[in-house]
Amino acid sequence: MYKQKNVVLNHWLPPFPMVRRGRFLCSETSKFFNQKQTPTHRPIKQVTKSNFSDSLSQLKTQISGSDFVAVSLQKTGSYSSPWHRILPFDTAEIAYLKAKYAAERFQILQFAVCPFSIRADANHYKLIAHPFNFHLFPRDELKLGMPCYSFSCQPSYIASMAKEDFDFNVCIYDGISYLSRAQETAAKHLTGNPVSSNYAVQPSTTRSVADNVFVERIKSRVRNWISACKRSDMRSEDALVSSLRRLILGGEEYGSRPSLNIDVCSERQVQLVFEMVKSHYSNVVPLAITSKGGGTQFVRVVLTSSQEDRELLKKELRNMEEEQSRRLCGFREVIDFISASQKPIVAHNLLNVFHADFTFIHSKFLYPLPPTMDEFTSSLHSAFPDILDVNHLMKEISPLTKYSSLPAATSYLKRNFFAPIKMVIPQKGSMEESKNHGHGVVRISELFAKLCFILRILPQAEYHNPDGPSLKRYTNVFSPDSNNFQDSDEADDISIWTNNPMKISINNLVFLWGFRSGTSAGKLKNLLSKSHNLLSEDHAFDVRLVDNSCAVIVFWKDGLSEWFLDAIDSGDGLRELAAEGMMAAGYDTYKRICESEILGVDLADSLAEFDRISEAHTKEPQEVYWNSDLMINFDDL
């Protein structure tokens, strides 16, 4: 009945009959498939800068009422050169470093979000989805040099987006800008915004004489200013007298309320002003005004007319701060709300390092990417505690095949399994919106629901089913072959070929460059076999081209790689290869190139440049000739 006869499903058997090649197993199944299938109109809410505020409030409501949140990205690229891709022989750490390199150079132009819930009905699953597609552009709206000045584009990605009728004008002119959390913190120091009365007042300490003098002087000044404000309210004054009074007292208007600016020289004086105002004047609200360079420039005290007016002022200040923060973070408010909701994130190939889109999310919206993968996973987990990759659920029913695209995974399920899913999208939209981008996130939600149906997983609001199969086992899986990279005991064992489980130590790999352009892997292997008796043995080594300039040699015998490196470096035993200009390096050199981010267009150029730099650093320093006759004796001066 099944193609995958070697897959043991036992208790994973689906609760309803399965279908294979159109042969139905019961009348109910036949009824379901014989129904007329019409194209489903799936409106995707297209969000730009003009409708961002309204859409944001709708999205927050939908996330709060949903059980999961699916995400999907549209980027300007993922690599600049063939060898920049995540290759089969890359360790987890190198794969992360390459993903980091790409995330720091390319941009996200679309971010699709789909809050959804799944309910189990009588004989099918019901999927309730609310898809949104956000158009983004990293515009420096605040003229602060953030989020960036430039980014890279991969031609194949841009061409693919153009074929899908991607509207670049909408993206550039009406795309939503954003700042990461780290950039927002830096921007607040540069823009100099009031910090209202939420200034952190430290516990009172013993005051010095200078502190007491300063406090008494400020107290007297504030008292006289309040008295003058009350006297001016009791009798009418002409404009000239009122202006002179404000000039002498140093008062200003904060909106419709009187205010007074108090100069301070240190954060200690800011502390003293706040303590004095809060302890002696209940109708005065102190505000710390920061300078563009950071730190407090002065303290502004605002006089209110009543307790109600005081609460109204505080509310106005909170709204002003929220509006300023919203203006700074832009689209990142969506990311912050998803993170705060603690809802499980559902994605496709986002945690697999071969498609590490979460490095983009971390780099653009959270903080700069850390240097190691352990730090990255820890930081990512703090923002998104539960992440589900549908690709790992696919491994449960098809362990021997990797589905790098959603259509391939969906097609496989459609051919081999019966998974009736009823999709409901409550929001309405025009026919034009249904043609736009963002459908990937809907497909992810649908694929996730089908996999849950096949694997007999009942996704509830509590996220796991204690009496049956649990989604927890598929959460935060960072590799298709293991539960976590950092948990692997064989960190130095890597694959050589895609879809081949065979492992080999990184010490048995050698990178070779300097051969003639256009040389195939077969010709290069034949040339190496004839160069020495040790290499002429059957199955002694294998060769694969990394790019047009460099090849990787796999030695099947331990110790042969070390001999090869020494021989080609000294020319002893491999003189013909050395004479032709061929050079070789071990895996450690390749690793250090990725760590140093010297990622040139060709791997050969990067290896040669790294060797040149290493030689320059290892050269012995030049001798210094010391002449005691030229030494100056300060006692003789």
Side-chain angles (χ1 to χ4, degrees):
M1 185 183 298
Y2 306 104
K3 278 186 177 179
Q4 305 277 348
K5 291 185 179 179
N6 58 327
V7 181
V8 180
L9 294 177
N10 48 54
H11 68 280
W12 296 106
L13 286 173
F16 304 115
M18 298 173 61
V19 62
R20 175 78 181 111
R21 293 184 179 176
R23 295 168 62 184
F24 305 107
L25 303 180
C26 68
S27 58
E28 286 297 323
T29 308
S30 179
K31 254 183 226 181
F32 183 85
F33 275 93
N34 284 332
Q35 290 175 357
K36 185 178 180 181
Q37 301 295 315
T38 56
T40 305
H41 177 49
R42 297 174 178 175
I44 313 296
K45 179 73 173 182
Q46 303 297 320
V47 185
T48 59
K49 187 168 59 174
S50 56
N51 66 338
F52 177 61
S53 297
D54 294 337
S55 301
L56 185 62
S57 60
Q58 296 175 20
L59 177 66
K60 288 182 177 180
T61 301
Q62 303 302 346
I63 291 178
S64 299
S66 299
D67 297 336
F68 302 90
V69 179
V71 297
S72 178
L73 312 182
Q74 185 76 280
K75 312 183 297 291
T76 62
S78 62
Y79 58 90
S80 304
S81 186
W83 78 276
H84 294 178
R85 295 175 295 179
I86 312 299
L87 300 172
F89 54 78
D90 287 334
T91 62
E93 198 65 39
I94 289 179
Y96 167 69
L97 291 172
K98 286 187 175 182
K100 174 178 179 288
Y101 184 84
E104 292 170 345
R105 283 155 181 79
F106 295 98
Q107 283 294 333
I108 301 173
L109 295 185
Q110 285 188 347
F111 197 110
V113 181
C114 181
F116 69 95
S117 300
I118 301 174
R119 298 291 178 262
D121 285 353
N123 54 1
H124 66 273
Y125 275 6
K126 181 179 180 182
L127 172 64
I128 307 168
H130 308 273
F132 294 77
N133 186 40
F134 294 87
H135 298 255
L136 310 181
F137 195 74
R139 190 181 299 102
D140 184 12
E141 294 183 345
L142 302 176
K143 309 301 180 184
L144 299 174
M146 294 182 288
C148 67
Y149 285 112
S150 62
F151 58 87
S152 300
C153 293
Q154 187 176 339
S156 60
Y157 271 64
I158 302 301
S160 176
M161 293 165 66
K163 289 180 181 178
E164 297 174 1
D165 298 325
F166 183 84
D167 195 333
F168 291 92
N169 285 324
V170 170
C171 174
I172 295 171
Y173 293 108
D174 205 19
I176 308 163
S177 187
Y178 53 83
L179 291 179
S180 68
R181 292 178 182 176
Q183 290 169 337
E184 181 185 3
T185 301
K188 286 182 177 179
H189 286 291
L190 295 174
T191 53
N193 299 308
V195 190
S196 75
S197 57
N198 293 328
Y199 181 86
V201 178
Q202 302 297 326
S204 181
T205 59
T206 304
R207 292 182 182 179
S208 64
V209 175
D211 291 341
N212 290 327
V213 171
F214 175 77
V215 169
E216 290 301 322
R217 180 167 60 85
I218 298 303
K219 184 192 299 184
S220 175
R221 184 182 175 190
V222 172
R223 182 174 59 249
N224 293 334
W225 167 70
I226 294 175
S227 300
C229 290
K230 291 181 177 180
R231 286 198 304 271
S232 63
D233 289 340
M234 295 174 59
R235 64 178 188 276
S236 59
E237 294 179 332
D238 57 27
L240 177 61
V241 174
S242 178
S243 298
L244 288 173
R245 186 183 299 278
R246 284 197 301 269
L247 180 63
I248 295 172
L249 294 174
E252 297 180 358
E253 294 290 329
Y254 187 80
S256 60
R257 301 176 180 89
S259 68
L260 176 68
N261 293 338
I262 300 174
D263 293 328
V264 291
C265 300
S266 64
E267 291 300 318
R268 172 61 177 168
Q269 290 187 348
V270 177
Q271 172 82 19
L272 294 172
V273 172
F274 268 72
E275 286 181 357
M276 183 275 297
V277 170
K278 290 187 175 183
S279 60
H280 291 84
Y281 303 103
S282 60
N283 58 339
V284 175
V285 177
L287 309 175
I289 310 299
T290 58
S291 62
K292 289 187 176 181
T296 304
Q297 184 177 6
F298 57 86
V299 176
R300 174 174 293 164
V301 292
V302 182
L303 181 64
T304 58
S305 58
S306 62
Q307 183 65 26
E308 291 76 10
D309 187 39
R310 177 187 175 91
E311 295 303 320
L312 180 61
L313 174 61
K314 289 184 176 181
K315 183 179 179 180
E316 292 174 358
L317 292 170
R318 285 194 298 270
N319 292 338
M320 182 179 65
E321 291 168 9
E322 290 175 1
E323 180 61 29
Q324 179 67 14
S325 296
R326 188 176 295 112
R327 184 166 172 257
L328 286 173
C329 67
F331 169 77
R332 205 202 71 243
E333 192 170 357
V334 173
I335 303 297
D336 288 343
F337 190 80
I338 294 174
S339 176
S341 71
Q342 301 290 289
K343 298 295 175 69
I345 309 299
V346 180
H348 179 254
N349 270 338
L350 284 188
L351 287 181
N352 184 344
V353 291
F354 294 91
H355 302 80
D357 285 352
F358 256 112
T359 54
F360 279 79
I361 296 175
H362 192 287
S363 174
K364 307 306 178 190
F365 308 124
L366 301 178
Y367 301 99
L369 288 166
T372 66
M373 185 170 179
D374 286 344
E375 294 175 277
F376 165 69
T377 53
S378 175
S379 178
L380 184 65
H381 183 71
S382 65
F384 307 104
D386 297 314
I387 305 176
L388 286 156
D389 192 335
V390 293
N391 199 45
H392 300 306
L393 276 78
M394 285 291 298
K395 299 293 290 183
E396 192 70 38
I397 60 175
S398 181
L400 301 180
T401 309
K402 295 178 181 178
Y403 296 95
S404 58
S405 67
L406 282 171
T410 303
S411 177
Y412 176 83
L413 292 186
K414 188 175 181 180
R415 293 193 312 268
N416 293 275
F417 296 96
F418 170 56
I421 301 296
K422 180 181 179 182
M423 178 178 290
V424 177
I425 301 181
Q427 64 191 30
K428 304 298 180 182
S430 63
M431 185 65 71
E432 186 63 29
E433 282 188 318
S434 69
K435 296 178 182 178
N436 261 318
H437 295 263
H439 289 279
V441 75
V442 179
R443 297 190 188 104
I444 290 172
S445 306
E446 186 176 18
L447 180 61
F448 177 76
K450 288 183 177 182
L451 289 168
C452 289
F453 181 92
I454 294 170
L455 296 174
R456 297 188 64 184
I457 298 174
L458 300 176
Q460 304 295 332
E462 61 269 19
Y463 170 47
H464 71 281
N465 181 14
D467 300 325
S470 172
L471 285 172
K472 282 293 184 181
R473 62 176 296 187
Y474 306 103
T475 302
N476 298 329
V477 181
F478 281 77
S479 168
D481 302 321
S482 63
N483 286 337
N484 218 323
F485 276 136
Q486 56 266 34
D487 294 337
S488 176
D489 295 330
E490 300 177 350
D492 291 338
D493 289 347
I494 45 88
S495 299
I496 300 300
W497 299 280
T498 306
N499 297 331
N500 190 327
M502 185 176 181
K503 300 283 187 178
I504 192 170
S505 172
I506 60 175
N507 297 324
N508 290 353
L509 265 63
V510 170
F511 293 89
L512 183 71
W513 71 96
F515 48 83
R516 295 177 183 178
S517 177
T519 303
S520 66
K523 290 181 179 180
L524 189 57
K525 183 176 180 179
N526 186 47
L527 178 64
L528 292 172
S529 299
K530 295 178 180 180
S531 64
H532 198 278
N533 292 334
L534 289 176
L535 301 178
S536 62
E537 300 177 8
D538 292 339
H539 306 295
F541 68 96
D542 207 345
V543 179
R544 289 290 186 272
L545 289 176
V546 180
D547 58 17
N548 292 328
S549 68
C550 185
V552 59
I553 307 174
V554 186
F555 292 100
W556 302 116
K557 292 183 179 180
D558 294 338
L560 200 55
S561 60
E562 288 83 354
W563 169 84
F564 183 86
L565 289 171
D566 292 338
I568 202 169
D569 186 45
S570 62
D572 185 16
L574 296 175
R575 294 179 182 177
E576 294 184 5
L577 298 181
E580 290 187 12
M582 291 193 191
M583 302 179 67
Y587 198 90
D588 185 60
T589 302
Y590 174 71
K591 179 181 179 181
R592 283 185 287 172
I593 287 174
C594 296
E595 290 174 343
S596 62
E597 297 190 353
I598 307 177
L599 274 66
V601 176
D602 295 327
L603 178 55
D605 294 339
S606 300
L607 290 166
E609 178 66 16
F610 190 83
D611 278 349
R612 186 187 66 80
I613 295 174
S614 299
E615 289 178 5
H617 283 295
T618 55
K619 282 183 178 180
E620 293 184 2
Q622 295 181 352
E623 294 182 359
V624 177
Y625 294 93
W626 177 260
N627 189 344
S628 59
D629 294 337
L630 299 178
M631 184 175 64
I632 299 176
N633 190 343
F634 287 95
D635 294 336
D636 297 336
L637 297 179

